[in-house]
Amino acid sequence: MEKTFAILEVGSTNTKTHIYAGEKLIYENTTTIKFKKHYNEENKIKEEDLNCLISLIKKAYEYTQNVNVYGCSIFRSLSNQELDEVNNLLYKNFKINIQVVSQEDEALYTALGCYGDINYNGKICVFIGGGGSTELIFINNKKVTSNKYFNFGVVKVTSNFPSLKEDVADCTFDEVYDYVNLLIGDIEENADILILAGGDHLFWYESAKFKMLENSLYKSINQPYIINQQMNDEYDRLAITKPLNQIRNSTNNPAWFDDVRSMKVITNLISHKINAKFIIPTKIGMEQGIKNKLLN
């Protein structure tokens, strides 16, 4: 009998639910819960955010009793007392706790989900971006060669340029680019391919109706599309100038788009710093690596 289990990946901005029956994905959902933004505003985990998380866990229990909740980014910053308060509430309702994942483990789980099952032996950089952290994992010949971790994410960039979440931004691409450049600094490693992971990057390209090419470098059900650097520059600059509300309101998750422009500047900058020729947007998260762990 196939093992059915749920993985909830709770980040600073988005909470992703994946439910598997064996290897088969039978349910997925991404819900925007701005844990980090609200924590910074109120200096505590907001009750409304916890209630939203509880509703997602209840939904997972409709499929399976084997529910696994993993906390990233903001949950690594909580004091023991704050984390205990959250876990006491979850244990009271579900007899489960949030398993806090280190930045390193989150990155390695996600990277493995990108390179573990593909037939490509060249240089790859896996970008893992979130609300409060950014990670780069460099792979050559299917082996991790180096990594870089940054203690900032899209929330910091959007906070410095709040109009990025408005319909029309009053800042320019170059202004945001220069700011992010100061945060990133030098990157010595190069890679042929930049894989965008750690969030639903495909959601942006599909919602904005940007054309993508078929991935001709290798076959992967989770990495079907590719864009070249010329397309990447054109699309990312358009992201700043293109009115956002029409795109936002055509989806079922409008709040997701608040930080999308910040994300596009960050990924664009990194793609140039590592001299990437191609960019592969995915919705791969660390649950790909965790799934293999739970199955085995």
Side-chain angles (χ1 to χ4, degrees), residues 160-191:
N160 276 271
F161 299 92
S163 74
L164 287 174
K165 63 183 178 182
E166 304 299 331
D167 185 35
V168 177
D170 64 13
C171 55
T172 67
F173 180 92
D174 291 332
E175 286 175 325
V176 185
Y177 193 94
D178 290 343
Y179 172 75
V180 175
N181 190 30
L182 294 174
L183 298 175
I184 294 289
D186 295 331
I187 301 177
E188 297 177 358
E189 289 259 22
N190 287 338

Side-chain angles (χ1 to χ4, degrees), residues 65-79:
Q65 296 294 304
N66 188 352
V67 176
N68 305 268
V69 183
Y70 296 87
C72 310
S73 193
I74 179 62
F75 291 92
R76 293 193 284 264
S77 304
L78 298 183
S79 68

Side-chain angles (χ1 to χ4, degrees), residues 3-5 18-25 287-288 291:
K3 178 180 180 181
T4 302
F5 56 94
H18 290 81
I19 301 176
Y20 294 92
E23 291 279 358
K24 183 180 180 182
L25 180 66
E287 78 281 345
Q288 296 288 335
K291 178 194 75 171

Side-chain angles (χ1 to χ4, degrees), residues 4 20 26 44 47 118 140 151 161 188 195 217 260 272:
T4 302
Y20 294 92
I26 60 173
K44 65 179 182 179
E47 183 179 358
I118 64 173
N140 189 9
N151 289 319
F161 299 92
E188 297 177 358
I195 300 177
L217 297 178
V260 71
H272 285 286

Side-chain angles (χ1 to χ4, degrees), residues 280-296:
I280 298 179
T282 78
K283 55 182 180 180
I284 296 172
M286 72 172 182
E287 78 281 345
Q288 296 288 335
I290 292 173
K291 178 194 75 171
N292 294 337
K293 175 184 174 182
L294 293 176
L295 282 173
N296 295 322

